[in-house]
Amino acid sequence: MIVEPGSTIGIIGGGQLGRMLAMAAAQLGYHCHVYAPDEAPPAAEVAARFTRGDYADEAALERFGRDLDVATYEFENIAAGPLSALTRQTQLHPPRAALEIAQDRLDEKEFVQGHGGRPAPFVPVASASALEAALAQLGTPAILKTRRFGYDGKGQVRIDRLEQAAGAWEAVRGAPCILEALVEFDAEFSILLCRSPSGEVVIWDAPRNVHRRGILDSSTVPAGDALLPAIAAAETLARRTADALDYVGMLALEYFAVGEEALFNEMAPRVHNSGHWTIEGALTSQFENHIRAICGLPLGAVERVAPRVEMRNLIGDDGLARRDILADCSAHLHLYGKKDARLGRKMGHVTRLVGAT
Ligand code: AMP
């Protein structure tokens, strides 16, 4: 079904991803209605309408859904009940099944394994004694990760010695977890894929990603020749995953490269921070193609437009260096309009096109 320009797109979540989605949608002539619990979220500032509501408020989500032509999300932790209230009213892309799988690290890994992917060695953990057994099996160092509600390194505890097990279990407050072996990777990269309702798939150049304290610091394309075999394998898995879910919209899969092998880390059924470089660095951005896909429009070409593109997140007070950034004519500055520059908070990003003529 084609959602014509002039229609209204609902966006659940009001962060910077929603902001950039709403800007891309406006360019194509759509109106956006943002739903988020915060008072003045970054996306609301650039959207036609904003509803402040809790992600668990079924009645509010049902009302929100009534005036929409299509809905999407930039935030993943919406429970199944409230989501049904929304899908009773309007179509939702990407599909609900993808959202539910990505909400749970164990389901996500098992799903990807079912399609031929290989995650880092892991063991599900549901009790303190299970954690000890898992540590005996995987060894140290390892990372204990809550199955649900983790992002940007939250809900994760590194365990270097067996004696730290009890403290780690306390730190996750006994939430269902997985224990994962620490991977000595050569690099991290992600696959950014967009799929249309008719099954058309586009994949951008895979960025090489560097994380600091669990938060994405930079994404660079091209990722380098050494990663090409791992990237090719990861792309095959991403396509298979998207087709299996009859997926519509942006899908990001994160990987560890170990030699020629790609170890699956996690997936995000939405636009992704490692794809911000596509706004200026590719013929069509991840945000525009997501909007095109969920509205049933043809997808745009995704070729890179410069020999090298680097995206760096501005975290905490990094954004204060904006004069230097603006003085660099290859740099594109994005600020998200957030008021307080808290430690670890993503305030903006800068994309540099290197070697462009
Ligand atoms: P995650 O939230 O699982 O994507 O973790 C955030 C970041 O922490 C990853 O991008 C890696 O840099 C690091 N990390 C997570 N899990 C592992 C692992 N099993 N081995 C090594 N590094 C990891």
Side-chain angles (χ1 to χ4, degrees):
M1 191 174 100
I2 293 179
V3 177
E4 296 289 351
S7 308
T8 299
I9 300 171
I11 301 175
I12 302 173
Q16 59 271 14
L17 299 177
R19 181 179 173 102
M20 290 182 268
L21 276 174
M23 287 160 78
Q27 186 185 323
L28 288 169
Y30 293 99
H31 309 291
C32 285
H33 185 170
V34 168
Y35 183 100
D38 322 79
E39 194 183 336
E45 213 169 51
V46 299
R49 275 188 75 188
F50 169 52
T51 293
R52 188 178 185 190
D54 201 273
Y55 294 126
D57 187 339
E58 292 190 29
L61 277 163
E62 187 152 1
R63 277 196 302 278
F64 168 66
R66 272 183 213 152
D67 299 326
L68 304 177
D69 296 294
V70 62
T72 189
Y73 49 89
E74 62 106 73
F75 172 83
E76 277 146 65
N77 290 322
I78 323 154
L83 207 57
S84 305
L86 181 80
T87 51
R88 277 197 294 274
Q89 299 298 331
T90 189
Q91 49 175 336
L92 177 77
H93 297 305
R96 198 191 150 121
L99 182 68
E100 285 175 2
I101 291 166
Q103 283 174 346
D104 187 313
R105 286 188 189 274
L106 179 59
D107 292 351
E108 177 178 84
K109 284 179 199 297
E110 288 177 347
F111 179 80
V112 166
Q113 274 179 318
H115 290 89
R118 190 152 97 83
F122 70 94
V123 178
V125 167
S127 67
S129 57
L131 174 57
E132 281 181 20
L135 280 164
Q137 190 180 332
L138 292 182
T140 53
I143 307 184
L144 186 65
K145 300 182 177 181
T146 56
R147 282 175 56 175
R148 302 176 76 88
F149 305 125
Y151 64 97
D152 283 351
K154 294 186 176 75
Q156 297 193 12
V157 191
R158 182 176 159 141
I159 303 176
D160 288 300
R161 295 184 314 276
L162 291 178
E163 308 84 83
Q164 293 169 332
W169 187 243
E170 235 164 72
V172 298
R173 299 202 189 97
C177 283
I178 55 160
L179 183 74
E180 211 174 281
L182 193 84
V183 179
E184 289 202 21
F185 52 76
D186 298 313
E188 290 186 82
F189 67 91
S190 47
I191 299 298
L192 303 161
L193 172 153
C194 192
R195 189 174 185 276
S196 74
S198 63
E200 181 193 358
V201 168
V202 290
I203 300 182
W204 285 259
D205 281 354
R208 176 188 284 249
N209 302 323
V210 175
H211 290 80
R212 223 172 265 168
R213 287 182 227 101
I215 302 176
L216 183 68
D217 186 58
S218 67
S219 296
T220 305
V221 282
D225 289 352
L227 297 192
L228 289 177
I231 288 172
E235 280 186 0
T236 304
L237 177 65
R239 269 179 207 277
R240 229 182 267 151
T241 307
D243 288 342
L245 290 163
D246 203 11
Y247 199 87
V248 174
M250 279 299 303
L251 174 67
L253 285 93
E254 293 184 78
Y255 293 87
F256 304 121
V258 182
E260 298 206 335
E261 205 180 354
L263 289 188
F264 168 79
N265 178 22
E266 61 179 354
M267 72 186 219
R270 54 167 168 77
V271 286
H272 194 257
N273 193 169
S274 67
H276 290 2
W277 69 271
T278 62
I279 297 177
E280 292 89 7
L283 286 174
T284 311
S285 77
Q286 62 165 347
F287 300 100
E288 178 173 341
N289 264 347
H290 185 78
I291 297 296
R292 288 182 183 224
I294 68 170
C295 292
L297 305 180
L299 302 181
V302 298
E303 278 77 13
R304 177 163 40 90
V305 301
R308 185 178 161 90
V309 185
E310 300 169 357
M311 187 287 308
R312 191 163 65 79
N313 271 336
L314 301 174
I315 295 170
D317 52 19
D318 286 353
L320 300 177
R322 51 182 168 260
R323 275 180 186 280
D324 295 347
I325 295 168
L326 289 168
D328 174 355
C329 61
S330 71
H332 296 268
L333 176 65
H334 296 248
L335 294 174
Y336 307 146
K338 297 179 183 175
K339 282 198 195 75
D340 31 319
R342 284 195 303 271
L343 190 74
R345 193 173 195 210
K346 291 173 181 167
M347 302 300 290
H349 73 265
V350 55
T351 300
R352 289 191 172 81
L353 304 190
V354 183
T357 47

